[in-house]
Amino acid sequence: MGSSQVLTEVSLTSLRKLAEGKVRDLYSVDDNTLLFVTTDRISAYDVVMKNGVPRKGSLLTLQSVHWFKVLSERVPGLKTHFLTTDVPSQVSPEEAQLIRNRSMQVRKLKVFPLEAIVRGYITGSAWKEYKAHGTVHGTPLPPGLRECDAIPGGPIYTPSTKAPLGQHDENISRERAAQIVGDRYAARIEELALKVFRAGQEYAAECGIIIADTKFEFGLDEATDEVVLVDEVLTSDSSRMWPKDKYEPGRDQESFDKQFLRNWLTDNGLKGKEGVEVPEAVLKATGERYAEVFRRLTGNTLEEALRE
């Protein structure tokens, strides 16, 4: 399987498939362990494109693994679900070849049905809401802010529901989040989301990157009653990231994420449409952004990381 080929479908015969998301497939390894396999599929506006981005699955997986290590060092008491990038022993050699460097084994936990969104800058849907109502997620912000300004007072937590595939997540209040998961867990999720975001922002800033916003997911380790960081973390799929040296408030920013693809869809009247085949040039440019942010954050190109 050459690295230039695009892997949009994976079907492992040796493990039981539990779920298929927009980008990742989930398999059961044993009672306590899951296998996340990240494909090269790409989605925008809640719709999966027909064709994928070369090597995206490896870039996202190894970037998440890097972040789990960095954040565990920088956020005291943080627990994550990550175990290893080793392929489970029961996977056949052919299939192992297919998923190597694009899969990770993680602890099986009870995942909270919330997207823990943290916003550090006023952009995207937050900017639209602010322009219309002077609020972000219903919270009033000072007047006179420009597009992509940092949110005064620091990052804010704006939870949403986790909608089933094909449906839209719904923004909810912190009170509603507490009703869904309980006061204690809601408070811990919010506390951790903000701490992890700030630690991620500080680390990224050292690498010349602004993290504008992101979404985290958390699970519960029922044995220890601990809230644990799960899913992928601070990747170009889940976060808006901008080059620090080109940042200029008052306009849309150059980005290391899916914004390039979103803009192409919007410009061509394809936002939210099913079955879109994306031109190779747009996929290539998107892939280059993913590869560049990987290099800046980890200090290695993907090729170098794969050789290690």
Side-chain angles (χ1 to χ4, degrees), residues 134-238:
T135 59
V136 167
H137 209 85
T139 303
L141 289 185
L145 297 177
R146 298 162 298 176
E147 181 175 12
C148 298
D149 264 334
I151 291 174
I156 56 173
Y157 173 67
T158 60
S160 80
T161 58
K162 261 181 66 156
L165 193 57
Q167 295 176 26
H168 294 282
D169 298 337
E170 183 193 340
N171 288 343
I172 54 173
S173 65
R174 291 156 68 233
E175 293 72 26
R176 179 78 189 107
Q179 285 170 0
I180 294 170
V181 300
D183 290 346
R184 196 164 59 85
Y185 294 133
R188 180 66 175 146
I189 289 168
E190 177 171 352
E191 176 197 17
L192 276 176
L194 287 165
K195 275 185 180 166
V196 171
F197 185 76
R198 286 197 192 98
Q201 269 194 326
E202 282 167 21
Y203 177 86
E206 295 160 22
C207 307
I209 291 169
I210 291 171
I211 300 180
D213 57 30
T214 196
K215 63 171 191 250
F216 298 117
E217 292 195 29
F218 291 92
L220 180 65
D221 183 337
E222 291 177 289
T224 60
D225 201 34
E226 284 175 305
V227 174
V228 178
L229 182 62
V230 303
D231 201 56
E232 63 173 13
V233 63
L234 295 174
T235 70
S236 306
D237 261 13
S238 63

Side-chain angles (χ1 to χ4, degrees), residues 46-271:
D46 290 326
V47 178
V48 178
M49 303 298 111
K50 223 170 144 176
N51 42 351
V53 174
R55 309 187 312 165
K56 175 173 172 267
S58 299
L59 286 164
L60 292 190
T61 299
L62 299 179
Q63 192 168 311
S64 279
V65 169
H66 179 74
W67 274 120
F68 283 133
K69 182 172 173 289
V70 167
L71 295 168
S72 296
E73 287 164 2
R74 291 185 172 220
V75 180
L78 179 70
K79 299 283 193 296
T80 82
H81 72 159
F82 175 70
L83 293 170
T84 178
T85 52
D86 293 349
V87 175
S89 55
Q90 57 267 57
V91 175
S92 72
E94 299 76 32
E95 291 180 344
Q97 192 61 32
L98 203 61
I99 65 168
R100 190 162 286 120
N101 299 312
R102 61 166 70 241
S103 62
M104 57 182 175
Q105 295 190 58
V106 300
R107 293 194 287 151
K108 185 177 183 178
L109 301 164
K110 182 180 169 189
V111 178
F112 290 108
L114 293 178
E115 298 275 11
I117 298 167
V118 183
R119 301 176 191 275
Y121 289 74
I122 185 163
T123 182
S125 61
W127 169 242
K128 282 198 191 83
E129 182 189 332
Y130 176 78
K131 266 196 312 191
H133 308 290
T135 59
V136 167
H137 209 85
T139 303
L141 289 185
L145 297 177
R146 298 162 298 176
E147 181 175 12
C148 298
D149 264 334
I151 291 174
I156 56 173
Y157 173 67
T158 60
S160 80
T161 58
K162 261 181 66 156
L165 193 57
Q167 295 176 26
H168 294 282
D169 298 337
E170 183 193 340
N171 288 343
I172 54 173
S173 65
R174 291 156 68 233
E175 293 72 26
R176 179 78 189 107
Q179 285 170 0
I180 294 170
V181 300
D183 290 346
R184 196 164 59 85
Y185 294 133
R188 180 66 175 146
I189 289 168
E190 177 171 352
E191 176 197 17
L192 276 176
L194 287 165
K195 275 185 180 166
V196 171
F197 185 76
R198 286 197 192 98
Q201 269 194 326
E202 282 167 21
Y203 177 86
E206 295 160 22
C207 307
I209 291 169
I210 291 171
I211 300 180
D213 57 30
T214 196
K215 63 171 191 250
F216 298 117
E217 292 195 29
F218 291 92
L220 180 65
D221 183 337
E222 291 177 289
T224 60
D225 201 34
E226 284 175 305
V227 174
V228 178
L229 182 62
V230 303
D231 201 56
E232 63 173 13
V233 63
L234 295 174
T235 70
S236 306
D237 261 13
S238 63
S239 321
R240 276 194 182 84
M241 299 193 220
W242 304 328
K244 203 161 82 168
D245 58 352
K246 296 184 178 160
Y247 169 66
E248 194 186 292
R251 61 169 175 84
D252 196 16
Q253 305 301 309
E254 271 189 48
S255 70
F256 290 123
D257 52 59
K258 291 193 283 196
Q259 201 54 46
F260 188 78
L261 172 62
R262 289 192 195 103
N263 292 349
W264 178 82
L265 291 165
T266 304
D267 294 345
N268 288 279
L270 296 169
K271 178 178 174 179

